[in-house]
Amino acid sequence: MLSDLNYEKAYLASLFKYSEEAYASTSFITEGSFSDQSNAILFTICKKIIDGGNKPDLASILSTAKDMGFEKAFSSKEDLTYIRAIANYPANISNVEMYATKLKKIEIINDIAITCEAIKKDAQKLNGSEPVSTIVDLIDAPLNKIINGIFSSETDKPVRLFEDMEDYI
């Protein structure tokens, strides 16, 4: 699987340092955007803290981890050192969208690779007596699922266009 742990760390560091400001512009990131399980768990915890209106720090992460059933994920001394290292990782708010975009692209690439492997396994089960539509659907359905997932995001929801018009006038 393709990954970029430095970008994962930089994105998480941005959540630590810039909290809501960093998360708001990159809400398309999910747990699946992380190749490292510890980073995915840390993201889930940070997201919950930020959604609660708070800024992540070591105490809030450990407390939220316990509340979410992840206390074993950050129980060792090395885990605590890792969280501190993330908190001190050099990250700039002006780069947070770049970090997030690359993580999302890597997630899409990995999804495509996994899907293609599954298609290959399914294709090897075919014997040639299947209708062409069945053979085409073998490729079409899984790849369309990925494509639809890419283009369905929170930005596809209806937006009030004139919400701030009174202030403008």
Side-chain angles (χ1 to χ4, degrees):
M1 266 176 88
L2 185 62
S3 67
D4 191 327
L5 295 178
N6 287 324
Y7 268 55
E8 289 184 22
K9 291 174 188 176
Y11 180 73
L12 290 170
S14 297
L15 293 181
F16 271 78
K17 291 179 183 173
Y18 307 108
S19 197
E20 177 61 33
E21 185 181 0
Y23 182 69
S25 65
T26 60
S27 59
F28 54 89
I29 293 294
T30 65
E31 294 81 6
S33 302
F34 296 88
S35 59
D36 182 82
Q37 184 177 3
S38 294
N39 289 343
I41 292 170
L42 193 53
F43 168 76
T44 303
I45 294 166
C46 286
K47 180 180 169 191
K48 182 171 177 119
I49 292 167
I50 293 168
D51 286 344
N54 298 306
K55 188 173 179 178
D57 61 14
L58 184 60
S60 65
I61 286 176
L62 295 176
S63 176
T64 305
K66 184 177 181 184
D67 293 346
M68 295 177 76
F70 293 127
E71 65 270 9
K72 290 182 182 178
F74 301 112
S75 60
S76 74
K77 188 175 181 176
E78 292 82 19
D79 295 330
L80 298 178
T81 302
Y82 184 71
I83 294 171
R84 285 187 190 101
I86 294 287
N88 294 323
Y89 200 85
N92 191 312
I93 189 66
S94 63
N95 294 331
V96 71
E97 288 184 29
M98 177 183 65
Y99 305 144
T101 301
K102 182 160 185 189
L103 293 178
K104 194 61 172 182
K105 287 177 183 179
I106 290 171
E107 178 184 4
I108 293 166
I109 291 166
N110 288 334
D111 285 349
I112 290 170
I114 291 167
T115 301
C116 287
E117 281 297 317
I119 290 170
K120 180 180 176 182
K121 286 179 184 176
D122 290 343
Q124 290 171 341
K125 295 176 187 173
L126 300 177
N127 62 20
S129 64
E130 300 81 8
V132 171
S133 62
T134 301
I135 298 168
V136 171
D137 281 346
L138 186 76
I139 298 167
D140 187 50
L143 292 180
N144 275 325
K145 184 177 178 184
I146 291 173
I147 292 167
N148 290 334
I150 293 168
F151 293 109
S152 67
S153 67
E154 291 185 32
T155 58
D156 291 341
K157 293 180 181 176
V159 177
R160 294 182 185 178
L161 296 176
F162 301 107
E163 185 175 35
D164 297 325
M165 186 56 82
E166 281 185 32
D167 295 338
Y168 179 73
I169 295 173

